[in-house]
Each structure stands twice: as structure tokens, then as C-alpha cells.
Amino acid sequence: MTILQKFPCNSTNMKWWALLMFMGITLVHVLGILIFTRGFLLTRTELSEYSKCSDIQTSPCNNDDTCWTKPALDRLVIIVFDALRFDFVAPSSFFEEKKPWMDKFHVMHRLATQQGASAQIFKAIADPPTTSLQRLKGLTTGGLPTFIDVGNSFGAPAILEDNLIHQLVHNGKRVVMMGDDTWIQLFPDHFNTSFPFPSFNVKDLDTVDNGCIEHLLPSLYRDDWDVLIAHFLGVDHAGHIFGVHSASMIDKLEQYNGILERVVEAMETQSEPGGLHENSLLLVMGDHGQTLNGDHGGGTAEEVETAMFAMSTKKPTPYLPLEVDNSYCRSNVEGKNLCISSIQQLDFSVTVAALFGIPFPFGSLGKINPELHALATAVHNLGSSDSVNAQNRSETEDWMEIYANSLCINSWQVKRYIDVYSGSSVIGFSDNDLKDISDLYEEANKIPYHPSHSSLSKSKLKIDAYSKFLTSVAGIARSKWTEFNLTMMITGFSIMLASIFGHIFLIKWLVKDGLRFSSCSSPVISFEMIFAYIVVFIRSCSFLSNSFILEEGKVGSFLLATTAILQLRYALMKKKMILEAILFILLIPIVSFGIQLGQFKQAVNSLFLKVSDSWMLGINSESYIWINTVEVLPILVLIILACLLFKGICQRSFIGIFKLVIVGTIFSYMLIAMYWASDSHLLSQHAAFGVIRGNVIPRVVYTVSLLQVLFLAIIHLFGSEKTTVWKEKLVGKALAMLCSWSSTVILLSGKQGSIVALASVLGGWCIIRLMSIEGDPKNGMAVTASYSSHTILWNLLAVCLFFCTGHWCAFDGLRYASAFIGFDEFNLIRQAVLLTIETFGFSHILPIIGLPFLVAYQHRAADKGTEGHVLQLCLVYLIYGLTIVIGVTFTILCVIIQRRHLMVWGLFAPKFVFDVVALFLSDLFICLASFYYIV
């Protein structure tokens, strides 16, 4: 016995069953997305605290300095070679097979193998994500950046949490930057002098590098800086375009070796007592590695393993005990012994801060690296490395004591951060983790002292205990913030995949057992239906490519145009609705034009939101006619929409409730027109319009819209039906609800809102009219085919409207200013709601509310009765939901496959977030619509 037999179509139970069905689908989606997100989008809360010199007074560590540690450096030169693989720097003898790109950095090998030289090569390990912006953030903050850093910097590129650059500047260090302009985005007001160069064009191998060369070498002879940062991009761009094997890559590496030769020569010639570089440190480093294809962003060994070269202008380093020294040595290609140490990029900021004697960044989780610390703190020539006399041991003991106390301060700072983080963040550590951390910290602070222990032995015990504490904390943090849980990701994907099959099963079940039409014609699946689902599949598959995601708006408009041409073909064959088909095709170029404008950063608010340069149109923005057109056209379109609504209520016998709501919308449209007119160049100086500026009109529009929605809901729950004509009632309810939402959506969208609204009205009307091409369907399968093709067409139009309004799937595509229309003060919930309505209003909210028009104007609807209409409404919403969930599921599949891709955090993850929010919003409004239209 089927469910329909248990709950007859003419019973109230069937209507409630429809609502429960959509609510169940929503819960499945929520479950799948939450499980997947738990394994993918790991989060961290940014804290606003900053470390200060005076904070050290509360630490249990010995400190006689004015700040945290005793300064060991006067000047620091940081040269960043973007995407520097470890095997670019390490000798080929350290690998099983020699590659063409190896052994190009002769200067590093020479300095690192010189007897008693103060130079060292490191294997630097980065934490994923290995995108440049996230790596620079990790290097300077000492934290573990994740995709969603919840805090003040959400949606802003600048780093607002404590970081190394802030501490350097705040403590009187002069910082000079040249190269990749990402540094300016992250630290907009920190540099005394900066020479940024655009980093967007990956096909350009030389502009950034030549700019660095132009300013780097002369700067080494000047005394107007303490820290110099030069960020080269040629290797990164060569990898992206040509790959690691390319001749361009070899040329770049050889060029960099020549640059380093000149840098080292400039520093060594000024390293004598009293010279500019008497006490300087050179750090040559990569921010991440790259795969053989030049990609980075994930966590493979090729991507996370980069290199660091350190050279001090001081005398050789002291002897490091084996317990502290983690280097490993081999003969290089010339047969000379070369040792390579390892360093975590997490340790970079705290090590540099300790060497400069400044406070450590508050959120740093790193450990002061012993080899790099010893390299920069050496002050005496200890002679031969294989002869350790009493003087050597004395200086070693001195360094060990200094390092142990530095680790004490390091551990105190990390423990302080963990305590504050766990107390202020809902995304904190578990009680067991906090207990383990506290126990390790207490153990390190209570090293037992025995009179027989030497100072060296006691320092070793302290170093071991503090190192164990810091390593454990970093491991716990990594497990919380940086590791993908592939099992949970696949589980979430499987649930979403099951949801697709659930949609298909319910659709087939409704057709088979619910839509009992006469069987006078065979249930043939039409080509139009097959083509519609092929279009959905093609669009979903495009999400597997970063290039197609970047051009998603163009893909949507292309598929919409293709489907529209097919509709025109049917219209010509049937000799029906030809005018509507032509009008729909003519509408698509207008929508595509809006999509093109939305892809330009300078047109982020679309063409009619503000008067902007129109060079791409060949129109002079200073033109009086152009300015008047931009100002007047949106208002005229809004008046046209109001007239259409007024004509609609005059020609139809809507019940008074619906007429009242529509009249309220016309009133809101007039208020919006006045609001725009008061802000226009033509009328802004008029005294009458000056009075109505401000927040009054937007708040009145919001209030009217909210009251309309509440009024319709109350009437639906407690009112009585005054008409038995089902089509008339459905059209009235749908139009009234659309009107209730439209005024707010139009207002938040700016002056483009009225134009997009008119385009959506015309597009929707054409789709409804084109449904009648096939005539009166005779069976359930024919109804399904008709609904499938036109519902998918409806969805494609909605997708295009999202991009037409100037949005794209990235956080910098959000128009935060729209959330403050009508309000000056910030309220998180209110601003989030307004921003959501503005972002998804035309693309999700209004299309879902308007879907019942497809059923109301379907020919078969007039003679099937209320029960048949209920089932057809369920069918339409199931098909619409299926098209959305297929796209989201393919996005999830894309994220799983591309989780180690270069663009995973910059492109795929934002796309996932936008699609998930859109899915939840669609599910919510489908549930509300089913309650409003069906129950």
C-alpha cells in the first residue's frame, strides 16, 4: 500500500505530509553539510589582544631586560622567493635523482660549506593552506591560519591580530618593503617606505622581480631602515605558467643566484666594526613550495616543504649540543660537507621577535628555533668546530642559559594565549586538551634542581621540558585548525548524494502514484526534458574547474541562451508563442551585459548603482545625457513596475486582502523612487528632497514589507477563504508575497534593483507563456517533462540574475554597504539579514516565491481540483530543489578532489560557502512556501 493510499489526496493529512517531506529534505541537507564542513572548513577565532613589553612582568621567567629578551640583531634582510621548493636550494646529493632545476644556488652552497661560516640552510615546513596570503599571515602572526578566521578581519584583507610587523613598527623598527603588493594589503600602514608591484598577472615573470632588484641593492647601502623585505614572484609565476621543468624556471633560479651573490657581497663588505651590516642577518626564504605543475595551496610534501637560508655577518656560531642541534649532513656535489637543519614556519615570527628583543605576537604558537637563534646570537670566534675547549663550553653554557630562558618566555606567552583563547572563543579546546597543556606547562616550570647538576645540565632539562610543551601545543592546534578529515568529508558528500536520489525517487513516486492522468498517450520522456537535465549536469560539472567557476556567470548565460533557442525552435514548430520566445532571447543579452559589468571590480555595484566611468561602452561619464540617463532610468522603471501592479489589481478579481498588500507595495515603490531622487545629481539640491534624505524612508520600506509578510501569514493561518477558484487564489497569494519581498530587495540592490526586477518579471512571464507550447499534457510523465524543462529554465534565469546584480562567489563580492541602508549603527543579526536578502534576493528568494505561477498557468491545472494542484506544486518544488542540490553536491565533490589545489582557499572554498548558504536559504523558503501555498 502506497503512502498516498494511506493519506488520500483529498485529506488534510496530504498537505501536512508535503510540508514534512520538504522539512525532512532540509534536515538531510543540514546533516550532510555539517558533517562535510566539520572535516573541511576548520575555524579559528581571531583575538584582539596585543603583546606589550610590560606584559613580561607577569611571567615566571628571569628577565632583566627592558623588554622580553635581550636584542641580538641590529638589522634584518628578508628576501622571499615565492614558491621556493626545497629541492631548488638543497644540493642534489640530498635526493635520489638529480633534476635540471637543482644546484642552481651556488652562493648558498658555498657559504654553507665554508669552514666556520655563519651560514645555514634550513628545510622550512609550512602549514596548509599553502596560498601566499595565508602563508604570509602565518609567518607574521605565528598562528595557524584557517579558511574562516572569525573575528574583526572577516571580509577584510588586512591582518588585524597581533603580528611580527606590528611589533617591529610599534617598538621603533623602521621597515622597508618591495615586491609583491600582497604585503601592502596585509599591512597597509606599517611600512616606512614601500615599493609594491602588482602580483595578479601570473604571465608576467619579470615586472615584480625587476622592481625588487631596482630597489634592493641600493637600499643595502642606506641606513634608513632596520628591516628590509623583498618579495620576488618570478619562480611562482614561472611554475604556474610553464611548470618546474621549464627553461623559464631554470633561468629564474640562475637569476636569483646572481642577485644573492650581489646581496651577500654588499653585506659582507659593510660587516666590519662600525659598518652598516656589522650585526645583520640575511634570511632568504620561500613562503611555500609548489608541485611539478606549479600548483600550491594544499598540504602535499612538495607544497609544504620550502627552504630558508640564513647568513649572519657575525663570527661563527657557538657549539650546539646534539640534543638541541637537529641538522643532518651530507657531502654536496663538490664533496664538501654540508649540513641542513629544519624549521617550522610557525617558528619564524617568534624567533625573529626574540632576536630583536621585542614582544612575541600574542597569538603565536611557534617555538624559538635553536639553530637560527644561535646563528644570530654568536659574538665570538670559537675557532675550529672539532676542538671544544673550556672557553667553548663556557660560551655554550651561556647560550644554553639564554636560550632556556627565552623558551620560558616563549612557553609563558603560548600558555597565556591558549588560556585567553579558550575563555573567549566558542571554538576552543577540549577540557582534556587544556588539562594536558596545563600539566606540561607546570612540569616545565618545576624542573627539579639537584646540587650535582651543572648549569648546562639544568639548561638542557629546561629546554627539553619547554620544547615538549611547545611541540604538544602546536600539535593540538594543528589537529584543530589545519588537518582535513577526509572521512567526514566523504560522509557528508555521500549524504548529499543520497539526497539527490531521494529527490528523484520522490519525483517518480509523485508521477506514478500521485498524478493519475488518463493513459490515452504513452508516457514518453521528451527530448526537451532530457536536454534540460543535461544542462543541469553540464553546469554542475563546470564546478570541477577553477576556470569555469571564475566564469560561472558566463556559463550560466550561455546555457540559458542555448535553452532559450530550443524554446524558440519549439515555438516555430508549433507556431505558438513566437513573440514570447523572441522576447526571452532578446532579454538574455541584457542579462549577459550585466554579468560582464559585474566581473569588473570597479563595477562591483553594477552600472546603475552609481555613476562610474563607462570607458568600456565608449560613453563619456562627464556627459550630461549619460548622467541623466543613469539617474532617471531606474526611477522610471520603478514607476513602470508600480503601474503594472496597479493594472494587475484593476483587471483581476483579487480578494481585498491581496489588493491591500499590493497597494502597500506600490506605496513602497513610490517611497523608494523619492529616496533615489533625493540622492540624484538632478534633484539633490532641491529643498523638498533634502528633507527626505537619511534613514527614514528605508526603515519605512522595511517596516511595510515586514508587516505585509506577517499580515499574509496571519491571514493564511486564521483567515477564511473568500474564493473557491484555486487558480485565482494561488495567483493572488503568490503575487502578494512577491510584492511583500520585492520592495526590500529592490531597495537593498540599489538603483540597479528596479531594472533587474523588470528583467526578472519579463523573463518569468516569458517562461510561463512558453509552457503552453506543448498544449494540454495527457499524462503524468508529460506534466513532469513540461515542469522539468521550464523549472530548470526558471533556475537558470535565477542563476544569471545573481551575477547580473554584480555578485560573485567570493567574500569580496559581498556589498557590505547595503547592510547599512537605513541604519548607521552596527547590529550583527540585522546587518546579516539585510546582507543575505541583498545577496540572494533576486536569485533565490523571489524565484522560489514565484514558482507557483508555473502551476497556476499550466493548462491542465484548471480541471484537476485542489488535490492535483497540491501534488503539482510539490513536483515543481522538488524539481527546483533537485537542480540546486545537484550543483551543491558537485561543488562538494570538487572541494574533495581539489582540496590540495592552488585555488582551494581562494576560489573553491568561497564557492562552497556561497552554495551552501544558498542551499539552506532555498530549503528554508521552499519549506515556508509549501506551508504558505499548500497547507
Side-chain angles (χ1 to χ4, degrees), residues 645 654 658 661-662 665 712 726-742 768 794 845-857 873 877 929 932-933:
L645 288 178
F654 290 148
F658 299 149
V661 171
I662 295 173
T665 300
L712 290 173
W726 185 86
K727 176 180 177 180
E728 181 182 315
K729 184 186 70 174
L730 182 61
V731 170
K733 294 177 71 171
L735 184 59
M737 187 59 73
L738 272 175
C739 290
S740 300
W741 283 90
S742 65
I768 294 170
W794 192 280
I845 297 175
L846 297 183
I848 290 174
I849 294 174
L851 266 178
F853 285 115
L854 293 179
V855 176
Y857 288 97
L873 273 174
Y877 277 115
Y932 178 68
Y933 295 121

Side-chain angles (χ1 to χ4, degrees), residues 380-421:
H380 298 295
N381 189 342
L382 302 181
S384 175
S385 60
D386 56 4
S387 174
V388 182
N389 52 30
Q391 178 65 27
N392 291 8
R393 289 191 297 272
S394 175
E395 290 193 350
T396 299
E397 290 175 359
D398 289 344
W399 177 83
M400 292 281 285
E401 185 176 348
I402 293 172
Y403 182 64
N405 192 65
S406 298
L407 283 186
C408 176
I409 298 173
N410 192 176
S411 301
W412 163 77
Q413 167 260 322
V414 171
K415 179 63 165 59
R416 181 178 65 153
Y417 168 68
I418 294 298
D419 290 342
V420 174
Y421 183 89

Side-chain angles (χ1 to χ4, degrees), residues 20 134 292 314 547 869:
L20 293 175
Q134 295 281 30
L292 294 179
K314 297 178 181 179
S547 299
H869 296 306

Side-chain angles (χ1 to χ4, degrees), residues 151-298:
N152 292 331
S153 67
F154 182 79
I159 296 178
L160 299 182
E161 61 181 325
D162 199 1
N163 60 82
L164 176 63
I165 305 299
H166 167 84
Q167 290 295 343
L168 288 168
V169 174
H170 188 71
N171 289 276
K173 305 301 180 183
R174 298 162 299 173
V175 184
V176 173
M177 191 285 303
M178 56 199 69
D180 186 353
D181 60 357
T182 302
W183 288 87
I184 301 298
Q185 300 174 30
L186 296 176
F187 310 101
D189 303 311
H190 290 72
F191 302 114
N192 289 67
T193 307
S194 61
F195 305 97
F197 299 91
S199 58
F200 179 76
N201 186 8
V202 294
K203 296 181 180 180
D204 185 352
L205 306 186
D206 301 314
T207 298
V208 177
D209 290 356
N210 291 341
C212 287
I213 296 170
E214 178 185 354
H215 297 286
L216 171 60
L217 296 172
S219 297
L220 294 175
Y221 295 92
R222 293 199 296 265
D223 62 352
D224 58 350
W225 56 269
D226 301 299
V227 178
L228 185 151
I229 301 171
H231 192 139
F232 292 75
L233 283 175
V235 162
D236 180 64
H237 289 183
H240 287 315
I241 301 302
F242 304 108
V244 172
H245 293 88
S246 64
S248 298
M249 180 65 74
I250 305 301
D251 292 342
K252 272 296 165 187
L253 295 177
E254 292 176 345
Q255 180 191 20
Y256 287 178
N257 181 73
I259 294 169
L260 289 181
E261 290 274 9
R262 298 167 65 184
V263 170
V264 170
E265 180 184 0
M267 295 182 67
E268 287 182 336
T269 56
Q270 302 176 81
S271 61
E272 71 282 353
L276 281 176
H277 297 289
E278 177 187 5
N279 187 20
S280 297
L281 178 67
L282 169 66
L283 292 178
V284 182
M285 57 190 294
D287 53 348
H288 50 74
Q290 58 177 301
T291 66
L292 294 179
N293 295 326
D295 294 332
H296 57 90

Side-chain angles (χ1 to χ4, degrees), residues 511-533:
V511 173
K512 181 179 178 182
D513 295 332
L515 300 174
R516 299 187 182 91
F517 290 82
S518 94
S519 57
C520 57
S521 60
S522 59
V524 179
I525 300 178
S526 68
F527 169 77
E528 186 182 11
M529 178 180 176
I530 297 174
F531 181 81
Y533 283 106

